[in-house]
Amino acid sequence: MNHPTTASHVPDPDPEHDVVALLTAQHGEIRNLFDEVERSTGDARRDAFGRLVRMLAVHETAEEEVVHPFARKKAEGGEGVVAERLEEERQAKEALSALEKVDPEDADFLPALRDLRTAVMQHARAEERYEFAQLRRLNDPGTLATMAKSVRAAEATAPTHPHPGVESGAKNLLLGPFAAIADRMRDALHGGPGKRG
């Protein structure tokens, strides 16, 4: 009698202990925030956009400080892979910075948001394919767990608004704390990221 064989299920890595799982989950959160901004109107759109701005700013800073330097050294073709991601990040920061100056109810807002979304999602797919896949192939749970902790630490002190031109780990470490303080003061005075004023 033949019994059907079942494939053993390997649980997905825990985002708290695996940098690839953490950042991939954040890419999903970013996609959901874009959806929320597009679907909402008025103050709900402003709030969702503020959360999107903050998420993008802290996420990219952490990648620039933790993931890209590691990938530059360890990934096959790391220099070129990281250079391409940094250029994409610079362009996205410029677009996000410009979009922050547009009222979310303005007719120009949604088309610009959709263009930004396309660029950000293409960037995320490139990271997952060219950086994250190589990190996963290293098969080093200890390193991935340490990097996840480092990403969380970087996010806790990251700027909450985009700063085009500050795409390297070194620039983030040098200028990031000052930008983060200024951003957090701005958020406190104006009611959070994404608020105009």
Side-chain angles (χ1 to χ4, degrees), residues 1-196:
M1 176 176 190
N2 290 339
H3 295 285
T5 58
T6 57
S8 61
H9 176 70
V10 177
D12 291 334
D14 176 6
E16 290 300 314
H17 300 100
D18 184 290
V19 72
V20 174
L22 171 63
L23 295 174
T24 302
Q26 288 181 354
H27 287 171
E29 290 173 41
I30 289 166
R31 190 170 35 257
N32 292 341
L33 280 169
F34 272 111
D35 288 343
E36 188 178 342
V37 175
E38 285 190 53
R39 282 193 316 262
S40 56
T41 59
D43 288 341
R45 177 177 285 167
R46 284 181 186 84
D47 177 66
F49 182 62
R51 287 183 282 124
L52 175 64
V53 168
R54 181 185 183 94
M55 180 76 182
L56 286 170
V58 299
H59 175 83
E60 292 304 335
T61 297
E63 287 181 338
E64 290 162 6
E65 289 181 11
V66 178
V67 178
H68 297 331
F70 186 85
R72 183 178 279 123
K73 292 178 191 169
K74 300 287 186 180
E76 184 178 324
E79 283 291 336
V81 167
V82 170
E84 289 173 3
R85 302 300 75 77
L86 291 175
E87 177 57 20
E88 293 163 0
E89 287 166 14
R90 184 192 61 74
Q91 291 174 10
K93 286 179 185 181
E94 287 177 356
L96 184 59
S97 186
L99 193 55
E100 273 195 294
K101 296 176 177 100
V102 179
D103 186 287
E105 292 301 303
D106 188 285
D108 293 334
F109 181 82
L110 278 180
L113 180 81
R114 289 180 182 124
D115 289 345
L116 175 65
R117 178 187 185 135
T118 298
V120 167
M121 292 297 95
Q122 287 174 344
H123 168 72
R125 283 190 296 276
E127 283 180 331
E128 291 170 11
R129 180 176 181 186
Y130 299 113
E131 280 186 284
F132 299 179
Q134 291 200 55
L135 292 177
R136 178 66 65 224
R137 279 195 295 273
L138 293 176
N139 196 24
D140 183 349
T143 298
L144 296 177
T146 299
M147 289 177 73
K149 286 180 188 168
S150 297
V151 163
R152 289 281 191 209
E155 289 177 341
T157 59
T160 58
H161 295 271
H163 293 274
V166 183
E167 283 78 42
S168 73
K171 285 184 181 177
N172 272 308
L173 293 173
L174 180 65
L175 302 173
F178 302 106
I181 290 168
D183 286 354
R184 290 164 199 265
M185 287 177 62
R186 173 181 163 191
D187 294 345
L189 290 171
H190 299 290
K195 303 292 191 235
R196 293 163 44 104

